[in-house]
Amino acid sequence: MASLVRKRLGEILVEARKLKEEELHKALAEQRKYGEKLGNVLIRMGLLSEKEIMETVSKQLGIPIVNLFDANLSEELVRLIPENIAKNHMVIPFERNFSVLRLAMVDPLDIYALDEVARFLRMEVAPCIVTRSEMKWALERYYGIKSLVEETLDSIKEREALAGDDEEEEDEKPPVELAEDEPVIKFVNSLLAQALSDNASDIHIEPSEDVMRIRMRIDGRLREMQAPQKKMLLPIVSRVKIMAGMDIAKTRIPQDGRFDITKEVGVRVSTYPTMWGEKVVMRLLDKSAALFGVDKLGLLVDDEERLKRVLTRAYGFVLSTGPTGSGKTTTLYAILNHIHSIEKNIITIEDPVEYTIDYVAQAQVNVKAGLTFESGLRSMLRQDPDIIMVGEIRDKETATIAIHAALTGHIVLSTFHTNDAGGALTRLVEMGIEPFLVASSVSCIMGQRLLRKICEDCKEAYMPPPAVLESIDVHESVPLYRGRGCPVCRNTGFKGRTGVFELLVMEDEVRELVVDKVSTEVIKKKAMEMGMREMREDAIKKALLGVTTLEEALNTTQLE
């Protein structure tokens, strides 16, 4: 049977002086609150990286670290363990030596997993350690040599071949029946499973004249996936609409709906009628993102400290600005998590509510019922709030109420569609808000974008030509970083995204310029003199730190 020194992860890390006792207690409190594994909590809290945890456990307990990417596991070896056991416990057979099986595990301290595998195989099991990303890749590769979607497409093709002459009769079935066909259900489920596996943020189902296309947005970029024939569009769209609680009979007007995949992931669905059929976009919402604090946004240390100082104030208007898809809403939720407590009354009006937070009264815009940002904000002020979040400032009326709320002792959080932080101040004045009110109420503005992070599994350093460094005002020989491309990042070299920011804190000198109605350029220049780092500089610093590539940094923050 399995043999392993029965130590807890926290005990191991404290003994190795990788973790302080007080840090462990905080992490254990988080673990009890959200029911996660301790290792995941430590990584999420930024106390340790996955690599540090792995290396410490390996050193302290003598458990080897192995690499699944370079291993060529035989089908005979992999099939020793059933798929359900492998996926439930995140384990896979790595090597067999007579009566001993070396078992690759994400969590080698999981005694229950070791015991279950040992009982099932009736042989001794010895653990070895792999990263979570390696394990996810291996499970997908070895327990479904084809992807889930490819398997489902094959089953659809087989079904069509068997249908033969009955094809026309099948097409005459009503949408509800078509949507309940097993191949359709399986296809939609497998599509969602693949999106989760690839950490996709959106799934696009798009009709054209002759074909149906499926694309997923992964790390901010749309990538085309395999899709069935165009005739499958109606049943697939109908299936998604049923799951989202939408009316499948209405195909000529846009609709919105929502459903949950798991307790942690919800899906927001939007349909749009086109001349070739309905286009569907499913946005995957990771509910754990609502647990992020400002320390997870990607702010450099000095900007994070400046923001936290601003958030200690008892009132003021805090704005996050940028184009659609730049992470503004995530920033607001992170700020809410930083400042909210049981002692504060927090109320929001959002469009839509993407994540839910304990002790926060959240409402969603409902124009038909008369609940708009403006009317919701007016009603909030009669609810004795300490902190108010307005999803977006869209008009003068909403901006006026928000500014007066900030001036009368409330913290007000909102988003604004401008290209940079300085532009938000001049835009508010252009909307008709008195300059002295803007200057008095605004505490800080965060301009932001999202850029792709280098994949940690294939990251490498290289020495760029001197001319490249000189072009970004670096006059010494320093390395830059890039991703070679590997199975984890699907050979893109990138995995995940982080924020790039410019944080404009309202100092007296900037307030005076706003009152004088000067241009955005003058305000920006003064703010930089007062300590603001523009987005391009912030992105270049992240490239020099190895967070992203220089090309990504420059492309994300192109000069006007």
Side-chain angles (χ1 to χ4, degrees):
M1 298 295 282
S3 60
L4 187 69
V5 178
R6 304 242 170 183
K7 280 191 174 183
R8 295 179 182 274
L9 178 60
E11 181 185 350
I12 293 168
L13 295 171
V14 170
E15 284 181 2
R17 297 184 178 180
K18 293 292 183 180
L19 198 64
K20 296 176 182 176
E21 287 281 0
E22 55 269 28
E23 292 174 329
L24 175 59
H25 292 316
K26 287 181 182 177
L28 288 172
E30 282 283 300
Q31 182 189 28
R32 286 191 292 270
K33 187 176 179 182
Y34 298 111
E36 294 179 80
K37 288 203 169 188
L38 180 60
N40 295 342
V41 174
L42 293 170
I43 295 167
R44 178 165 61 78
M45 293 177 69
L47 295 173
L48 289 169
S49 68
E50 183 181 24
K51 185 179 179 182
E52 289 173 313
I53 294 172
M54 284 175 57
E55 289 176 347
T56 303
V57 171
S58 175
K59 184 178 179 181
Q60 294 292 100
L61 300 183
I63 302 173
I65 297 173
V66 297
N67 187 331
L68 289 176
F69 293 144
D70 296 336
N72 187 17
L73 308 182
S74 69
E75 185 174 348
E76 180 184 1
L77 177 67
V78 171
R79 296 299 171 186
L80 286 173
I81 299 177
E83 182 177 355
N84 64 319
I85 293 178
K87 290 185 174 179
N88 284 343
H89 295 299
M90 297 288 279
V91 301
I92 197 167
F94 184 74
E95 186 178 75
R96 183 176 182 176
N97 185 11
F98 297 105
S99 61
V100 178
L101 177 73
R102 291 181 68 195
L103 186 67
M105 308 178 70
V106 172
D107 180 6
L109 302 179
D110 189 342
I111 301 296
Y112 300 106
L114 284 163
D115 286 346
E116 182 172 350
V117 173
R119 279 197 304 271
F120 180 82
L121 295 177
R122 295 184 181 179
M123 63 190 300
E124 186 178 345
V125 177
C128 45
I129 315 174
V130 295
T131 64
R132 182 171 292 274
S133 55
E134 282 181 74
M135 182 59 70
K136 288 174 70 175
W137 172 82
L139 292 174
E140 182 180 335
R141 176 182 177 185
Y142 291 108
Y143 282 99
I145 307 294
K146 302 173 183 179
S147 72
L148 284 169
V149 173
E150 287 173 334
E151 285 183 356
T152 311
L153 285 171
D154 284 347
S155 71
I156 289 173
K157 288 175 183 175
E158 287 173 12
R159 184 173 181 277
E160 288 171 350
L162 290 172
D165 297 334
D166 296 332
E167 189 173 316
E168 289 184 15
E169 190 177 319
E170 290 286 331
D171 286 347
E172 292 174 1
K173 291 166 71 174
V176 174
E177 280 189 49
L178 289 169
E180 297 298 335
D181 277 0
E182 184 182 350
V184 174
I185 294 173
K186 188 177 179 183
F187 179 79
V188 173
N189 290 346
S190 63
L191 197 62
L192 292 167
Q194 182 167 336
L196 286 174
S197 174
D198 292 345
N199 291 319
S201 61
D202 301 86
I203 304 170
H204 292 239
I205 300 173
E206 306 166 313
S208 63
E209 184 175 7
D210 301 314
V211 299
M212 169 172 60
R213 293 190 176 89
I214 293 177
R215 296 189 290 172
M216 292 189 189
R217 189 176 295 280
I218 302 170
D219 295 334
R221 303 294 195 277
L222 281 171
R223 301 181 194 171
E224 189 159 4
M225 305 293 169
Q226 244 190 312
Q229 295 179 6
K230 171 71 180 292
K231 64 182 179 181
M232 293 298 296
L233 176 67
L234 177 59
I236 288 172
V237 170
S238 296
R239 176 62 188 166
V240 173
K241 290 168 77 173
I242 288 170
M243 294 172 72
M246 299 155 74
D247 189 339
I248 66 170
K250 295 179 179 177
T251 61
R252 297 183 181 181
I253 59 171
Q255 292 189 66
D256 295 294
R258 184 170 181 147
F259 63 91
D260 287 334
I261 304 177
T262 67
K263 290 182 179 179
E264 295 77 28
V265 181
V267 180
R268 194 174 78 223
V269 182
S270 172
T271 65
Y272 187 79
T274 75
M275 61 189 298
W276 306 118
E278 287 183 281
K279 172 180 167 64
V280 176
V281 175
M282 291 182 275
R283 169 153 290 186
L284 278 66
L285 304 170
D286 182 357
K287 297 174 186 178
S288 65
L291 306 177
F292 288 176
V294 295
D295 57 328
K296 297 298 182 186
L297 291 174
L299 289 159
L300 294 175
V301 175
D302 54 344
D303 277 346
E304 184 181 324
E305 290 175 351
R306 290 172 70 215
L307 176 61
K308 286 180 177 178
R309 282 197 297 271
V310 168
L311 297 177
T312 60
R313 299 173 186 174
Y315 64 92
F317 199 6
V318 178
L319 275 169
S320 176
T321 73
T324 300
S326 59
K328 300 187 296 298
T329 301
T330 300
T331 294
L332 292 192
Y333 277 106
I335 291 173
L336 274 184
N337 275 316
H338 180 74
I339 62 180
H340 98 295
S341 76
I342 196 170
E343 299 172 349
K344 294 175 182 175
N345 181 21
I346 306 175
I347 308 178
T348 76
I349 177 73
E350 308 170 53
D351 185 22
V353 173
E354 295 193 355
Y355 311 106
T356 57
I357 304 177
D358 288 342
Y359 299 108
V360 178
Q362 297 171 262
Q364 183 161 309
V365 166
N366 186 339
V367 177
K368 289 182 180 178
L371 181 58
T372 63
F373 282 125
E374 180 190 353
S375 63
L377 185 49
R378 289 185 188 278
S379 298
M380 280 185 206
L381 295 173
R382 297 191 287 272
Q383 291 283 314
D384 184 32
D386 297 297
I387 301 165
I388 292 169
M389 187 177 97
V390 183
E392 184 183 341
I393 299 297
R394 293 179 179 172
D395 50 51
K396 178 184 175 182
E397 291 71 22
T398 306
T400 301
I401 302 167
I403 283 174
H404 280 289
L407 289 172
T408 53
H410 305 89
I411 295 176
V412 181
L413 311 174
S414 192
T415 68
F416 207 29
H417 283 278
T418 58
N419 287 328
D420 55 24
L425 293 169
T426 52
R427 177 75 184 108
L428 286 169
V429 174
E430 289 169 0
M431 288 174 73
I433 310 297
E434 289 293 339
F436 75 91
L437 291 176
V438 174
S440 303
S441 63
V442 176
S443 295
C444 77
I445 303 172
M446 295 175 67
Q448 66 181 85
R449 299 287 189 280
L450 290 175
L451 51 73
R452 293 179 294 171
K453 295 164 63 178
I454 298 172
C455 173
E456 291 294 332
D457 289 271
C458 61
K459 183 177 178 179
E460 65 179 11
Y462 70 98
M463 295 305 300
V468 171
L469 295 173
E470 288 173 8
S471 71
I472 57 173
D473 205 25
V474 175
H475 303 289
E476 56 182 316
S477 183
V478 295
L480 292 175
Y481 301 85
R482 63 192 171 199
R484 294 187 307 275
C486 68
V488 170
C489 61
R490 294 187 177 268
N491 295 311
T492 63
F494 295 97
K495 186 72 174 176
R497 291 191 290 174
T498 189
V500 55
F501 302 92
E502 58 181 27
L503 180 62
L504 193 163
V505 177
M506 292 292 284
E507 308 289 355
D508 290 341
E509 293 87 342
V510 177
R511 296 183 197 279
E512 290 172 6
L513 293 177
V514 174
V515 172
D516 292 340
K517 296 184 179 181
V518 302
S519 67
T520 299
E521 289 72 22
V522 175
I523 291 174
K524 186 172 184 176
K525 183 178 179 182
K526 175 57 69 175
M528 291 174 67
E529 290 174 9
M530 304 299 297
M532 183 183 85
R533 181 189 297 109
E534 65 177 344
M535 270 186 278
R536 194 173 184 83
E537 183 185 352
D538 189 66
I540 289 172
K541 279 188 175 289
K542 287 183 169 75
L544 294 171
L545 290 170
V547 176
T548 190
T549 65
L550 180 60
E551 293 79 8
E552 176 74 4
L554 298 179
N555 289 338
T556 302
T557 58
Q558 292 179 0
L559 293 173
E560 296 295 328

